[in-house]
Amino acid sequence: MTPVIRLVRRNARDPRTLALAAALLLLLAAVVVPRLPVTRDGVRVLVVVDITGSMNTRDYIHDGAPVSRLTVAKGALRDLLSRLPCPSHLGLALFSERVPFLLFEPVEVCRDYGAVAGAVDAVDWREGWEGDSHIAEGIFGAIEMAQGLDSDLVFITDGQETPPLPLSGGPTFGGKAGAVRGLIVGAGGYGLAPIPKFDDRGNEIGFWGANDVQHENHFGPPPPDAESRPGYQARNAPFGAEIPTGTEHLSSVREPYLRALAGQTGLAYAHLDDGRHLARALTAAATPRPAKGMADVRWVPGALALAAVLAAYGLFPARYPRGFLRFVKAAGRWP
Amino acid sequence: MTLGVDQPWMLVLLPLVVLPWLRSPHRRTAVGSIAVVPADHLSAWLGHILRGAGALTIGLIVLALSSPYAGGRTVSRIGTGAQLVLLLDRSGSMNDTFAGRTPAGAEESKASATKRLLREFIGRRPHDLFGVAAFSTAPMLVLPLTDHQDAVLAAVNASDRRGLDFTNIARGLGMALSMFAADRPDEHHVILLVSDGGAVIDPHVQDQLRAAFARHRADLYFLFLRTAGSKGLFDTPAPGEDTPQAMPERFLHLYFQTLGIPYHAFQAESPQQVEEAIRQVDALERYPITYTERLPRHDLTGWAYALACLPTLVLLAAKLAEARITPQPQVLAVMSPRRRKAA
């Protein structure tokens, strides 16, 4: 055996030599490793945004200033766009009166992010075509629309029916519960807040007062307890003679009502906070739509190679000071 | 050629390249005094080379981890086209056929025919910026101006769904105009208004619209889908009927002519005529337009890893060639006075 070979043999036993050899092998692996085919779960969702008057209520606080529910909803949606796994598809519709109005069918949000984000920014309460909001009918219509588009549903609303539901109850869901998955997102605070009022040209002119709105819906049959109401008369005053009073001019998120609607239709319910919460709730409720993709895994051997080189330079000391070991042991005993 | 990285935060590890000047992977040999060893330029150079190789290895791996690439720049090019807002009537009557009936069998509603032909139109104009607005009772901004054709097609696809109530053309036009930048004579703005009904624009709003058209400078194409039996744009009035309320379409046409902008009106009574009108718009609106194109990217990650292999090989070779310095007997003899005496 020549002295050179003996030298190399002896040096090869050094752990730092092994670390460098490992680094070299890992780097070669990083060069040749192919992209791995993976399936990613995207979502395909139709987002319906309630743009009726009560969505202008400013009962969210952002940076110390009150902001409207619609502003928060738009901000959360924009944030959601960037959080959705690629490839995900999102369509947008507006809700006012009793039907959702489809702006565009679901498009790929990663590729067309700018266009979709621009459309979300452009959502405005002034686009509302009528002042009423028959929310239950809107949700049922939206479910049908989402089914037609083969997508899940996110319906953002505060749940305030205008006019109030008839005393005989609201409409019932005719479809199959759970056929469309998704979320009803309740927008608004839990305390009552005044609803801004606007003139014909869209300028704000104060708030809705108690006498401006209908507090009770006298459509349909009177409630069973109508006879006990003051001034009741079967023919002339079947709902009683008193002018109904209430808090319909104020608004809060009608969570129990929205939860009931969600239960009836097989959707999940979430409160509107921000994009992160919305994304989490949506991924939990949505149908996973696996799509084929390619994953670049070269960073794994690359990172290991870096660690090996650093180890060769002794960045991770082989012997730790005694105090450190005592600390680790103590930390291990920690309950 | 532009270079860039996808994960710039990985570059915080770059200061690790100084590590070879602080530590060494090589075995330490204790020497009594550095003065004992004569200055050796070759050794000094070897030391520099090995430190450089170490720094290069660490630097290249960190760079590779940050996913470097070349190209991917967006360039501005000049093509032919325009900035075009499709202003679509979404009133309920658009869902009827040209004969004014609910579509049955193979019949096509006005909205469906428009949708089909607009899709072809968009496909033929790759460099245009398209925006989509809709109107019924209120105007609705569907999609701001964009060059993402998929999104535009998705918006046009949605345009033959059930419509809403009324036809408020004036507010729709206001919305469409507001989608363009004001005072940009270098941009060419076009509004393609597709509607099946006229509407009375009150004089106050007429003036506002006139001012908005002057500010945003847009060509107006009015594609009027005439339903059988209804009034048209070019009808001559019967005596006593020449009022905006009796003939809103005719008065709308007259008003548009007074706007002082390039204005073309097409009256279509069948899908074939719609196609012909759209073909004419296509031919007329050919102006220079600046569009951006993204150049293809070349991934450099693999190259960085491959390059990192070379200095690693140098380090490994140096490590394997490490000599074990054991003091030679002569040296020991020099160092030990007792031995010197013994010798």
Side-chain angles (χ1 to χ4, degrees):
Chain A
M1 215 195 297
T2 62
V4 174
I5 291 182
R6 205 179 310 139
L7 185 72
V8 167
R9 278 217 172 162
R10 186 140 29 107
N11 284 331
R13 266 180 253 133
D14 188 336
R16 288 174 293 189
T17 314
L18 295 179
L20 281 177
L24 186 61
L25 287 179
L26 286 164
L27 285 176
L28 289 172
V31 174
V32 297
V33 73
R35 281 163 185 264
L36 297 184
V38 288
T39 50
R40 289 206 184 91
D41 283 343
V43 297
R44 185 179 163 91
V45 65
L46 169 70
V47 176
V48 185
V49 184
D50 182 351
I51 53 167
T52 53
S54 55
M55 286 295 281
N56 290 318
T57 311
R58 290 182 287 264
D59 55 359
Y60 279 92
I61 302 286
H62 190 259
D63 288 340
V67 286
S68 75
R69 296 168 184 175
L70 192 58
T71 312
V72 172
K74 281 158 65 174
L77 275 181
R78 256 202 95 125
D79 195 17
L80 172 74
L81 288 181
S82 55
R83 287 175 188 275
L84 286 178
C86 294
S88 285
H89 294 77
L90 185 138
L92 191 62
L94 304 177
F95 166 75
S96 168
E97 196 200 356
R98 62 182 77 227
V99 287
F101 180 88
L102 185 66
L103 294 181
F104 50 86
E105 294 183 353
V107 293
E108 229 270 73
V109 287
C110 301
R111 200 177 45 213
D112 298 326
Y113 175 81
V116 180
V120 168
D121 280 344
V123 170
D124 194 314
W125 68 270
R126 291 177 176 85
E127 298 174 326
W129 48 97
E130 237 175 80
D132 287 6
S133 50
H134 299 269
I135 302 213
E137 283 179 56
I139 291 178
F140 301 158
I143 288 175
E144 203 175 305
M145 183 179 275
Q147 198 160 20
L149 292 169
D150 182 32
S151 63
D152 298 333
L153 177 68
V154 167
F155 197 102
I156 305 179
T157 179
D158 51 18
Q160 181 149 7
E161 294 264 0
T162 315
L165 286 179
L167 296 163
S168 50
T172 46
F173 183 50
K176 186 167 156 281
V180 168
R181 296 172 62 172
L183 282 179
I184 294 179
V185 180
Y190 294 98
L192 289 172
I195 307 171
K197 191 176 179 178
F198 295 85
D199 68 7
D200 286 350
R201 296 197 180 181
N203 304 311
E204 191 171 338
I205 49 163
F207 296 100
W208 288 94
N211 298 328
D212 295 335
V213 299
Q214 205 179 335
H215 290 283
E216 194 175 274
N217 191 338
H218 287 187
F219 191 76
D225 68 335
E227 287 178 39
S228 61
R229 289 185 169 199
Y232 170 82
Q233 202 197 359
R235 191 187 65 187
N236 293 331
F239 288 86
E242 288 204 328
I243 295 170
T245 54
T247 56
E248 283 298 322
H249 61 295
L250 301 172
S251 180
S252 63
V253 58
R254 304 282 167 95
E255 215 157 58
Y257 177 55
L258 290 177
R259 278 186 196 280
L261 280 175
Q264 201 183 339
T265 51
L267 299 171
Y269 174 82
H271 185 253
L272 176 68
D273 293 307
D274 56 18
R276 197 160 52 88
H277 285 96
L278 188 57
R280 199 180 302 155
L282 176 60
T283 19
T287 323
R289 307 200 182 239
K292 288 223 165 16
M294 299 302 257
D296 186 354
V297 292
R298 286 178 296 185
W299 64 272
V300 178
L304 290 174
L306 183 62
V309 171
L310 296 181
Y313 274 94
L315 197 67
F316 315 112
R319 232 183 275 160
Y320 292 92
R322 189 176 282 185
F324 178 76
L325 288 178
R326 224 180 295 146
F327 171 76
V328 170
K329 272 186 193 162
R333 279 198 299 272
W334 204 262
Chain B
M1 171 127 135
T2 45
L3 294 170
V5 293
D6 267 340
Q7 260 93 34
W9 54 271
M10 272 314 291
L11 298 180
V12 301
L13 292 178
L14 265 188
L16 283 173
V17 295
V18 302
L19 193 63
W21 278 270
L22 304 175
R23 283 159 180 275
S24 158
H26 298 288
R27 185 183 309 112
R28 287 173 179 220
T29 306
V31 178
S33 163
I34 196 80
V36 175
V37 187
D40 179 5
H41 288 293
L42 181 65
S43 298
W45 272 108
L46 273 177
H48 287 311
I49 288 174
L50 289 180
R51 287 196 183 110
L56 211 55
T57 306
I58 296 172
L60 280 170
I61 299 177
V62 170
L63 189 67
L65 286 173
S66 69
S67 307
Y69 61 84
R73 198 160 48 101
T74 50
V75 289
S76 295
R77 298 222 162 119
I78 307 285
T80 49
Q83 295 191 8
L84 216 150
V85 167
L86 306 173
L87 179 58
L88 306 176
D89 185 353
R90 292 287 299 267
S91 64
S93 55
M94 284 292 283
N95 298 85
D96 298 338
T97 63
F98 279 92
R101 289 191 304 262
T102 310
E107 282 178 330
E108 208 175 20
S109 72
K110 282 176 278 190
S112 298
T114 314
K115 165 181 144 182
R116 175 172 59 82
L117 296 165
L118 281 179
R119 283 182 62 91
E120 291 171 17
F121 173 68
I122 293 163
R124 281 199 301 268
R125 300 180 64 97
H127 302 319
D128 281 7
L129 287 184
F130 280 102
V132 184
F135 64 94
S136 67
T137 315
M140 273 168 272
L141 204 169
V142 175
L143 201 67
L145 284 168
T146 175
D147 55 354
H148 291 276
Q149 286 220 348
D150 297 329
V152 180
L153 289 175
V156 170
N157 275 349
S159 72
D160 66 340
R161 289 177 172 262
R162 213 190 94 187
L164 302 165
D165 310 325
F166 305 110
T167 309
N168 193 336
I169 289 186
R171 288 182 67 189
L173 278 173
M175 165 76 78
L177 280 171
S178 70
M179 290 164 70
F180 297 121
D183 300 320
R184 286 290 297 269
D186 55 320
E187 291 175 354
H188 198 86
H189 303 157
V190 182
I191 294 176
L192 175 57
L193 163 63
V194 183
S195 175
D196 69 341
V200 182
I201 303 183
D202 80 63
H204 166 73
V205 179
Q206 282 192 11
D207 291 345
Q208 284 183 344
L209 261 185
R210 200 184 300 278
F213 265 106
R215 201 163 51 244
H216 296 280
R217 303 293 327 157
D219 295 4
L220 177 64
Y221 290 83
F222 183 15
L223 177 51
F224 178 68
L225 309 179
R226 185 182 178 184
T227 314
S230 71
K231 299 212 166 61
L233 294 183
F234 313 117
D235 292 2
T236 42
E241 263 193 7
D242 201 8
T243 62
Q245 280 70 25
M247 309 189 76
E249 290 82 6
R250 172 179 148 76
F251 276 82
L252 199 61
H253 179 55
L254 292 176
Y255 167 66
F256 287 155
Q257 282 173 324
T258 66
L259 284 175
I261 48 158
Y263 164 66
H264 303 266
F266 304 95
Q267 179 165 287
E269 291 167 34
S270 68
Q272 291 73 33
Q273 287 175 355
V274 176
E275 190 169 4
E276 174 59 24
I278 288 180
R279 205 188 51 73
Q280 282 194 39
V281 178
D282 190 12
L284 283 170
E285 290 300 327
R286 295 222 167 253
Y287 294 88
I289 184 173
T290 315
Y291 66 97
T292 53
E293 197 173 277
R294 190 175 276 279
L295 298 177
R297 261 187 186 198
H298 300 289
D299 181 29
L300 299 179
T301 311
W303 284 106
Y305 281 127
L307 273 181
C309 288
L310 296 176
T312 314
L313 200 61
V314 171
L315 288 179
L316 186 62
K319 188 70 194 150
L320 287 173
E322 220 171 45
R324 237 158 245 262
I325 301 175
T326 41
Q328 303 276 309
Q330 306 95 297
V331 177
L332 285 176
V334 168
M335 285 164 75
S336 154
R338 207 193 303 159
R339 284 206 176 191
R340 202 191 309 164
K341 210 183 281 172

